[in-house]
Structure formats: C-alpha cells, structure tokens
Amino acid sequence: MEISEFQTKIEQLQYELNIENQRGGLKDAAKVERLEAQIAELTAELEKPEVDPVIARGEEEIALFGVPLGAYFATIADHVAVRSVVIPAFRQLINEKKDLEDGYHKLSESSEAESQRLNEVIEARDTEIATLKAALYESKLQAEDNASKRDNVYSELLEAKKTIDELNAKIAASTVTKEQIRTNLDGAAVVKKVKRVIYDVVYMGKWNEKFTAKYADTDESFEDYTLYKDTKYQEVQAEEAATFRTEFLAKQEQERNHEDMAQHSSVEDEPVTVPAFRDEDTNSATSGVDQADASSEVAGSSVEKRLEALELAVFGSVRDAA
C-alpha cells in the first residue's frame, strides 16, 4: 500500500473515530477500540522504514492468505494483475465481515438490553400477580369465615325463634283459663299479664346485642338480650310508666287489705267453747239467782247470743242439706 493510501485510510478511520466519540455515553466502546487499533497499526506501518515492494507484497499476502501468491504465477505482471484485483476484493470482504460482526455485536447488545428490560417488566408483573393472588386468597378466607359466622348466627336465630315459640305457647296455655286483670284507674283498658312493661331502654354492646331498662311497675333496673326484647317485654314511654307504677302499688295495697280481712275472718271463725250446764235444785237456783250481779247477767246474755249463732249455723246448714 502506498504512503498516500496509508494516510487516506488513517484519515478515514480517524474521522469514524471522532464521529463515534461525539456520541458520548451512547458510543460503541468496541468499535472505538477497534478503530484506535487500526489507526495505531496503520500509523506503525506508515512509520516503518522503506522496504522492498516485492518483500512487502509477499508479507502482506502471507498475512492475508498464509502463503505468497507470486509462486502461483509465471510472470510478475500476472502476479501484479491478479493481486490488484484479489487484494482489494479480499480486503473488502474482510471489512464487510468486520461490519457484520460489529452489527451483530450491536444487535446482540441491543437485544441483551431489551431482554433485560423485558425481564424486569416480567418480574414486576410476577410480583403484582403474586400480590393479587395473596389478596385473593385472604379475601377467600375472609369470605369463608363470614359465611361460617352467618350460618352460625342463622342457626342461633332459628334456635332462639324455636325457644321463643315454645315459651309463647307455654304462656298462651298458662293464660287461657286465667281471668283478665283490670286496672284500678278510670278508663284503663283490660291488661293481660303476658309481657312485662318496661321503659328507659338503653342499648349496649358492639352490635346493640344487649339492653338495659326498668320495669314500669316496680321501677327495678335489669339487663337482657335485644333478641328477646319484643317477645318478652312491652316498651312504653317514661310518662306512661308512672301509670303502671301506680297500678302496681294499688294492687299491693289491695292484696294487703285482703290478707288483713282474711286474718280477721279466721279469728272470728274460731270455735267457741260453751261451758256445760247442770240442773240444780230450786233452792240452789234461787240462791244462785239472788247472788248474781249485773256483770254476770251481761255475760250470760252474750253467751246466749253466741249459742244462738252457733245453733243457727249448725242446724241451719243441716236443714239446708235436708
């Protein structure tokens, strides 16, 4: 290769190197390294001392083909003619091969970068999928737990309803023959003692499952489950509760009066022991009468009245039976 050709080639490679370096972070490091190596090689060749062109051509052919081509030609002209065609073509093939290799490396690096990006995207999607699967599993467990709790509550409600129905049936059976209890207040309706009347209801618990209230008649506080509120109790306002309280006190007073009357009647109905009477002679009777005082006469009159009452009670009942 002539000196001018070396210089032209060096300038061309230097131009490509400058273009590649101007790309900054996007430059192809492998290409830059290859261009620098070629420039250094050509510069070293250019700076070599002048050699015999025949020897130079032989070295070049050995470097390219492994053997010198001059041995295959009869004349130097044929050698030079073939060489002028083969060497440039071969070098062009070498350059095209290098370009292909460079393109392959770029494509490989680009594919590797794209593959890395796709892998990262796939990993992110896998993480999202795993998170969604875990959330779905937790939701499924929660749904199953809620369904189990719902079934248990439903079963408890059925049992409670069954118990309430049985209690209502017992209450209805026990109150069929009972007389209705009337209030002592004017214009009050007849009340059947099936439900306890309550007031001042306050609900408690997280789901208002319990409540506290007061009995309207006794004004006592109590606590019970909300489930039984409408089946066991009748709620009224605070001002209405006073009516039931008054009625309850009146009923207690009436019961006390009945007890007092019953005790008094039992005292009056106690049997009376009548002293035995015996006949005495006239003289004794006469002296007894003479000695009787006013108090004895009054006592005898009282005894005679009680005897008459006893005879009336005994013989009157016997006559009625006959």
Side-chain angles (χ1 to χ4, degrees):
M1 183 181 296
E2 300 294 336
I3 295 177
S4 59
E5 293 178 358
F6 274 103
Q7 292 177 347
T8 302
K9 187 63 177 178
I10 291 173
E11 291 176 357
Q12 181 180 356
L13 294 175
Q14 187 64 46
Y15 175 77
E16 293 179 6
L17 179 62
N18 294 336
I19 294 296
E20 193 67 28
N21 287 329
Q22 289 177 2
R23 298 179 62 187
L26 299 177
K27 69 180 180 179
D28 188 347
K31 183 177 181 180
V32 169
E33 184 179 357
R34 180 174 56 81
L35 291 173
E36 289 178 347
Q38 291 177 354
I39 293 173
E41 181 182 355
L42 293 175
T43 302
E45 289 291 334
L46 183 61
E47 292 176 352
K48 282 183 180 182
E50 194 70 28
V51 296
D52 187 358
V54 177
I55 296 174
R57 286 195 297 269
E59 292 177 353
E60 182 181 14
E61 291 169 359
I62 291 173
L64 293 175
F65 306 109
V67 293
L69 297 180
Y72 296 96
F73 300 98
T75 63
I76 297 176
D78 294 337
H79 179 201
V80 173
V82 173
R83 175 183 162 76
S84 63
V85 175
V86 172
I87 295 299
F90 192 77
R91 286 192 176 279
Q92 183 177 358
L93 290 174
I94 292 176
N95 292 333
E96 290 178 357
K97 178 185 176 183
K98 290 182 179 180
D99 292 340
L100 289 175
E101 290 176 350
D102 294 341
Y104 172 78
H105 289 309
K106 289 182 180 180
L107 181 61
S108 178
E109 293 175 357
S110 176
S111 299
E112 184 177 356
E114 183 66 15
S115 177
Q116 181 65 26
R117 187 185 68 83
L118 292 177
N119 287 334
E120 293 176 357
V121 173
I122 291 172
E123 289 178 358
R125 295 295 184 271
D126 288 341
T127 302
E128 293 179 2
I129 291 172
T131 303
L132 291 175
K133 284 183 177 180
L136 179 61
Y137 181 72
E138 291 294 334
S139 300
K140 182 179 179 181
L141 291 180
Q142 186 65 34
E144 291 176 354
D145 184 57
N146 292 337
S148 177
K149 291 181 180 178
R150 179 199 61 199
D151 295 339
N152 292 336
V153 171
Y154 182 71
S155 299
E156 292 177 1
L157 288 176
L158 290 180
E159 290 295 330
K161 185 177 183 301
K162 181 180 178 181
T163 303
I164 292 171
D165 293 339
E166 292 176 355
L167 291 175
N168 288 335
K170 291 180 180 179
I171 292 172
S174 63
T175 57
V176 169
T177 58
K178 290 184 179 179
E179 295 182 358
Q180 295 178 344
I181 301 175
R182 297 181 179 275
T183 62
N184 295 326
L185 301 177
D186 296 337
V190 176
V191 178
K192 228 178 185 182
K193 294 294 181 179
V194 176
K195 298 181 179 180
R196 291 293 299 270
V197 181
I198 60 175
Y199 76 101
D200 196 12
V201 176
V202 178
Y203 294 97
M204 303 184 306
K206 186 176 181 181
W207 294 285
N208 292 336
E209 67 274 11
K210 289 186 178 182
F211 71 95
T212 58
K214 294 182 180 179
Y215 293 117
D217 49 4
T218 63
D219 206 33
E220 296 179 3
S221 299
F222 70 97
E223 179 181 318
D224 204 344
Y225 287 93
T226 307
L227 178 66
Y228 306 114
K229 176 178 172 293
D230 295 333
T231 57
K232 294 170 58 177
Y233 309 100
Q234 175 185 350
E235 183 181 358
V236 298
Q237 300 298 325
E239 55 270 16
E240 299 179 77
T243 302
F244 291 91
R245 179 66 176 163
T246 303
E247 177 185 351
F248 177 74
L249 295 175
K251 182 180 177 182
Q252 285 187 328
E253 182 67 24
Q254 185 179 6
E255 290 177 353
R256 284 196 295 269
N257 293 336
H258 287 170
E259 290 177 358
D260 294 341
M261 292 177 65
Q263 292 176 359
H264 182 69
S265 175
S266 64
V267 172
E268 290 185 352
D269 292 342
E270 290 179 357
V272 179
T273 303
V274 181
F277 294 94
R278 59 188 179 86
D279 295 336
E280 296 180 354
D281 56 11
T282 306
N283 294 332
S284 298
T286 303
S287 71
V289 172
D290 292 339
Q291 293 176 0
D293 54 10
S295 60
S296 63
E297 290 179 356
V298 173
S301 176
S302 176
V303 170
E304 289 178 356
K305 289 182 180 180
R306 297 196 65 179
L307 285 173
E308 290 177 359
L310 290 172
E311 290 175 355
L312 179 62
V314 173
F315 294 106
S317 61
V318 172
R319 296 189 190 95
D320 295 338

